[in-house]
Every structure is written in structure tokens, then in C-alpha cells.
Amino acid sequence: MRAVIGSALGLGLLFMLTLASIDPVDLALGVTLGAVLVALLGRRLRLAPDGVAVAPIQRAVWFPVFLGAVFAEILVGTWDMALRVVHLRDLKHPGVVRFPIGERSEHGVAISALATTLSPGSVLLEIDWERRDLVFHFIDVSDPDRLRERFERFYDRYQRKVFP
Amino acid sequence: MSSNVVFYAGLVWVAGLLGVVVVRVARAETTAQRILALDLLTLILVGLLALAAGQDGRAYALEAGLALALLSFVATLAACRYYENRRPFS
Amino acid sequence: MIIVLSDILTVLGLAILTIGVYGFVRMPDVYTQLHAASKAGFLGIVALLASTALHGDGAIITRAVLITVLLALTTPVAAHAIGRAAHRREEPMHISEAVDETVDDR
């Protein structure tokens, strides 16, 4: 029940943001629409089970750090991609690599995949739950083990404290 | 507001980019490339709308951009799923 | 001052977009095109939106932030959908030295 009310309120807020209005009538309309949507679709949307619980304060403190780290990755990736596009770095070793999932929960896998895919130079192709692998396409896989090590280090340093 | 020179030059430039991508949509080699080109096309259109909203000072163009971005996301997903297993919803 | 900053952001965004489109035209197969097109494009759009939001009123700023968050959530998912579809339909990689660690499970 709490989840339903929370989702309806969240959707109502999104509605307000989209309209950029502060009219209470709009808020009521948004929350009503959200509640109807959740009531209609709630059963069909399977929400991922929460894995490991994180203290809200810890999450609130580390989330901006995590966002900053992801943004830095995007900047570096875009710069690297730009150099490759204009022939200043070579484009000889693109390829598909497997990364082990490790200790990530279901949420953690989703956030990891999203963050890695958002930075240019890497795209998630597949999640292999049987072998517990993430399949990525990288623009440069001349050294796959170094890539895996970087992926793990990013998780350890920034993500573990927010989305384990 | 960007200065007028930058705005008009940018408008022409983005229109040129749109033209290039339209050609790529028409002449893509594989289906995935065509879907990707369509996705890029709407992304550039959102950029064009952002540019226009900046000059105009009003938010109408950005509302259109918001709707366009959402719509293109859903369209890309549906097209990919159809290409993958011949059904939009599995 | 703000106009100069806005101009710089606009030019930066256009440059990133141009690199994205050029990369999209130049890359040989769909996987490499994905990197250039959808992701390099994202930062370009964000730069253009930032240039718009610099001098806008509240309505414009909320929309710009909303579009940025929305794109940050949707571009990776769209890229993943395209990549997965191409991978499952076994679209070829056109670079001869390309590595594929999943080739043994086919």
C-alpha cells in the first residue's frame, strides 16, 4: 500500500514538473492519474526485489559523489570517442567482452549497466544470469583484463556505498 | 540568448546534420543501423528545439522536445523488440 | 558575459553533435556506430540545453533539467536495446581484429 501511494505521489510530482505549474488542482489531477496508472499496471510491472539495504544517510551522502564519478566517466569517454572518430586514436580492436557480476544485487546490476552504458565507448549487450556475466561491447578491448579491473574498481570505489 | 550570428549559424548547421542523418536512414545497410539512425535523428531534433527555445525565451519548444524524446524512446524499444523476435511485446 | 558563456556552450554542443554524426557515418558496423551516435549525442544535447537554461526563466530551467534526466535514463536503455537486437540477430562486426568472447556459446 505504501509503495502504491508513493508511486502515485511520485507520478503526480513528475506531472507537475512536466507542466511547470504549482497549481494544487494540477497536483490533484496528477496524483489521481498516477494512482489510476499504478492500479491498472501495478501488477504487471515486476519491481526488482531489494537486495542489500543501505542506510538512507549513507546513500544521500554518497549519491552526489557517485553522480559526479559517472559524469567524469562520460566526459573522459566522450573525449576518447572524439579522438577515435577523427582518426587520432586507432579503431582496430573493438569487441565483445564478459564481465563477472560479482557481489552486485539485482538493483546493483541495473545501475552498473546503466552507468557503464551511459559513458561512450561501452554498450551493454546482454545479461547472462546463468553464468552470472554481463556482456559488453567495448570500443577498445586490446586488454580485456584491465577493463575488467577498472569496472570492479569503479564499483568498489563509488557504487558499493549507494547501490550495492 | 546566444548572439544572433551563433544562433543562425547553429540553426543551419543542425539542419545540415539532420540532412546527413536522413540520408543515412534511407541508405542503412542493416535494420539495426536504420533504427539507430532514426534514434539519432530525433536526438538531433531535440537539440534543434533546445536551440530554438533559447532564442525564443519561451518554453513551448522544450515541451515539444520533451514529448519527442519520450516518443522516440518508446518507438526505438518497440522497433528493437520487433526486430529481435518478430513481436513488439513478448 | 552570460551571452558569451551561452555562445560557448552552444558551439561546444554543436561540435560534439557533429563528431557524433561524423562518427556514425564513418564507423563500419552497428556496434561501433552505437558508441559514436547515441552517446556522444547525449553530451551535445546536454550542452545545448545548458546554453538554453542559462538565461531562461523557471519554466525553461525545469524543462531543461527534466529532459536531461530523461535522456540520461533513456539513452543507455535505447542503446542496449539496439545492441541486444543486433547481437541476437548476429549482425556482423566489420573490423577484422574484433574480439568476441561470446563466440563459443553459439
Side-chain angles (χ1 to χ4, degrees):
Chain A
M1 197 60 205
R2 261 184 67 197
V4 172
I5 294 175
S7 318
L9 269 179
L11 286 172
L13 273 180
L14 187 66
F15 187 75
M16 302 281 286
L17 273 178
T18 316
L19 292 179
S21 87
I22 43 171
D23 194 343
V25 179
D26 281 337
L27 180 62
L29 186 62
V31 172
T32 316
L33 274 178
V36 169
L37 265 183
V38 173
L40 284 180
L41 297 175
R43 279 175 205 286
R44 304 178 114 210
L45 302 175
R46 191 186 64 92
L47 299 174
D50 262 321
V52 196
V54 182
I57 301 172
Q58 186 185 350
R59 182 170 277 180
V61 169
W62 282 95
F63 187 63
V65 180
F66 175 66
L67 275 191
V70 171
F71 192 67
E73 284 272 300
I74 293 177
L75 286 184
V76 171
T78 305
W79 177 244
D80 180 67
M81 220 29 237
L83 288 185
R84 281 180 210 282
V85 166
V86 296
H87 302 249
L88 288 178
R89 273 187 205 171
D90 66 1
L91 184 68
K92 287 193 188 125
H93 306 279
V96 180
V97 273
R98 290 177 168 279
F99 284 16
I101 286 181
E103 306 166 357
R104 292 173 182 77
S105 67
E106 219 170 298
H107 269 149
V109 169
I111 299 289
S112 259
L114 199 70
T116 314
T117 306
L118 191 55
S119 70
S122 46
V123 177
L124 176 75
L125 292 183
E126 199 95 45
I127 298 181
D128 189 343
W129 283 108
E130 281 165 24
R131 291 174 58 171
R132 290 189 69 77
D133 270 342
L134 297 169
V135 180
F136 281 101
H137 183 275
F138 267 78
I139 196 72
D140 187 354
V141 289
S142 45
D143 190 356
D145 289 323
R146 214 177 52 103
L147 285 180
R148 274 186 269 269
E149 191 189 310
R150 258 191 67 196
F151 186 64
E152 273 316 302
R153 207 170 53 217
F154 187 82
Y155 173 72
D156 273 339
R157 216 176 262 176
Y158 303 111
Q159 200 194 326
R160 186 190 288 279
K161 295 163 184 116
V162 197
F163 301 104
Chain B
M1 196 183 322
S2 338
S3 55
N4 276 331
V5 185
V6 173
F7 172 68
Y8 286 112
L11 220 54
V12 172
W13 190 251
V14 175
L17 291 183
L18 275 178
V20 171
V21 179
V22 166
V23 171
R24 292 302 294 189
V25 173
R27 299 183 50 183
E29 287 165 34
T30 67
T31 311
Q33 285 181 346
R34 187 160 289 138
I35 300 172
L36 178 59
L38 277 172
D39 197 42
L40 184 60
L41 193 70
T42 42
L43 202 64
I44 295 177
L45 261 178
V46 174
L48 186 66
L49 287 170
L51 211 60
Q55 192 69 4
D56 197 18
R58 284 181 297 180
Y60 292 137
L62 280 186
E63 276 169 31
L66 193 59
L68 195 64
L70 271 174
L71 214 63
S72 106
F73 172 60
V74 176
T76 306
L77 280 195
C80 285
R81 292 188 141 224
Y82 185 69
Y83 177 50
E84 198 177 302
N85 45 25
R86 298 280 161 221
R87 275 178 307 182
F89 306 104
S90 51
Chain C
M1 185 58 211
I2 280 188
I3 288 189
V4 173
L5 200 60
S6 177
D7 275 357
I8 292 175
L9 276 173
T10 307
V11 171
L12 189 69
L14 288 177
I16 298 176
L17 265 186
T18 311
I19 286 176
V21 171
Y22 178 60
F24 175 66
V25 172
R26 190 176 86 79
M27 299 287 184
D29 57 28
V30 66
Y31 306 102
T32 40
Q33 280 179 347
L34 262 177
H35 299 301
S38 73
K39 264 80 67 54
F42 168 71
L43 201 61
I45 302 292
V46 171
L48 285 181
L49 282 172
S51 141
T52 300
L54 262 186
H55 48 80
D57 52 358
I60 286 187
I61 295 177
T62 13
R63 257 80 164 217
V65 172
L66 208 58
I67 294 181
T68 307
V69 172
L70 198 87
L71 281 181
L73 290 179
T74 57
T75 24
V77 179
H80 160 61
I82 296 173
R84 191 176 71 166
H87 192 239
R88 288 211 176 150
R89 296 295 296 253
E90 302 184 10
E91 286 197 3
M93 288 189 245
H94 286 307
I95 293 177
S96 54
E97 292 175 56
V99 187
D100 189 349
E101 293 187 351
T102 61
V103 90
D104 49 330
D105 24 87
R106 293 224 177 98

